[in-house]
Amino acid sequence: MKDELETTVKDAPAKDRKFVEALSRGLDVLRAFSQGSVVMGNQDIARITGLPKPTVSRMTYTLTKLGYLSYSTQLEKYQLDSGVLALGYAYVSNLRVRQLAKPYLDEFARNTNTSVGLTCRDRLSMIYVENCRPSESTSLRMDVGERLPLATTAAGRAYLAAMKEDERSHLLDAIKARNPDTWTELYASLQRSFAEYQDQGFCLSLGDWDRNVNAAGVPLHLQDGSLMVLTCGAPSYLVSEERVKNQLAHQLAMLARDIERLGV
């Protein structure tokens, strides 16, 4: 968990005079709640972030005063407060691509009976900013804000495949550091995904993240230069590997191109 909190393509250089270390640590404290329990004490946060406990104590006190954390006197622990929700809601609600893409995602979900999502990267995870599924469907239920690992999901693999090579190398090093025992096999599967993307324009995860889930992912290139990923998936008893490979992934790639043509 600590590795993920410390990993980002935009890590500041050691001598970057514009980089505010205190602010970075405060944000790491907030991020810890996405890696650990809903309610945590200073010791828990210090373990996850690697920050000294006195530093964590000052950060949690300040964040509580600012309305980003709340403190339970009964439990003697902290939890996220409405200030964080307000920031997250402002981001999601003002995300233009989400607003424009949602009708297309809804239609795709209805027509294919799959769960269709729009995701963005946060360090070593992909996060859902939108998810659509037929109301009567037993397909995957992935709420906005839920995280997916980069290395084993269709969304994460598609993101990595579409990145610039130097940025991808940085993330692969971080993934390797978190998975030293399984890295050889994991790296081989990622290389197959990258080749798949070069050949077909999409990446697959057929039981790799969850043995009962088949999914496809396609990068979405926005006009501002940023990168997101469309993903669709369903339990394997509803959607076979063959259907994902030969039908859904290709349809998802066409959907991505349609959304890009909207000028987002």
Side-chain angles (χ1 to χ4, degrees):
M1 294 180 182
K2 177 183 172 184
D3 291 333
E4 178 160 347
L5 285 165
E6 292 176 346
T7 303
T8 174
V9 169
K10 297 179 180 177
D11 281 342
K15 296 183 179 180
D16 188 344
R17 300 171 73 178
K18 294 182 180 179
F19 189 79
V20 182
E21 187 68 32
L23 176 59
S24 173
R25 291 180 175 183
L27 293 174
D28 277 347
V29 168
L30 292 178
R31 286 178 185 272
F33 287 86
S34 68
Q35 306 297 318
S37 303
V38 174
V39 179
M40 291 193 290
N42 287 332
Q43 186 171 341
D44 302 316
I45 298 170
R47 174 179 50 81
I48 291 173
T49 61
L51 296 172
K53 189 176 177 182
T55 299
V56 171
S57 297
R58 292 195 300 272
M59 294 296 172
T60 52
Y61 174 84
T62 303
L63 291 167
T64 300
K65 287 291 185 181
L66 293 174
Y68 294 109
L69 294 179
S70 62
Y71 181 72
S72 169
T73 54
Q74 182 178 2
L75 298 175
E76 296 184 340
K77 293 180 182 292
Y78 295 90
Q79 63 183 359
L80 296 177
D81 205 354
S82 57
V84 174
L85 175 62
L87 288 176
Y89 178 78
Y91 169 73
V92 172
S93 63
N94 289 307
L95 197 61
R96 185 167 179 265
V97 62
R98 174 179 177 265
Q99 297 168 348
L100 294 177
K102 191 176 189 314
Y104 293 83
L105 303 187
D106 281 331
E107 182 180 12
F108 191 97
R110 286 195 303 270
N111 291 340
T112 61
N113 197 32
T114 61
S115 174
V116 186
L118 177 64
T119 64
C120 63
R121 186 182 69 84
D122 178 45
R123 303 195 178 190
L124 297 184
S125 298
M126 298 299 292
I127 298 180
Y128 276 93
V129 297
E130 184 58 86
N131 182 251
C132 302
R133 59 192 290 273
S135 57
E136 70 283 359
S137 173
T138 57
S139 189
L140 296 176
R141 181 180 294 278
M142 303 297 291
D143 295 326
V144 171
E146 288 199 44
R147 291 173 173 266
L148 298 172
L150 273 179
T152 56
T153 61
R157 290 172 174 179
Y159 189 96
L160 288 167
M163 290 183 76
K164 295 178 180 178
E165 189 170 347
D166 58 336
E167 294 180 346
R168 182 199 303 160
S169 177
H170 178 89
L171 285 180
L172 290 178
D173 286 344
I175 294 170
K176 178 180 180 180
R178 294 196 69 194
N179 302 274
D181 297 335
T182 59
W183 175 243
T184 300
E185 180 181 353
L186 192 57
Y187 182 72
S189 69
L190 285 169
Q191 291 302 311
R192 289 193 295 270
S193 286
F194 300 157
E196 185 173 55
Y197 172 69
Q198 290 299 321
D199 185 46
Q200 303 277 4
F202 55 75
C203 291
L204 303 175
S205 177
L206 305 174
D208 301 293
W209 167 57
D210 183 316
R211 65 177 182 172
N212 299 312
V213 173
N214 293 329
V218 177
L220 193 63
H221 298 271
L222 306 186
Q223 284 195 338
D224 64 2
S226 59
L227 181 65
M228 301 183 79
V229 174
L230 290 179
T231 183
C232 72
S236 54
Y237 68 84
L238 288 178
V239 175
S240 67
E241 292 186 9
E242 289 72 22
R243 187 183 174 207
V244 174
K245 288 180 183 178
N246 301 325
Q247 181 184 357
L248 293 177
H250 295 279
Q251 292 175 333
L252 191 69
M254 289 189 289
L255 175 62
R257 303 298 79 80
D258 288 342
I259 292 174
E260 288 176 345
R261 281 193 286 268
L262 296 174
V264 294

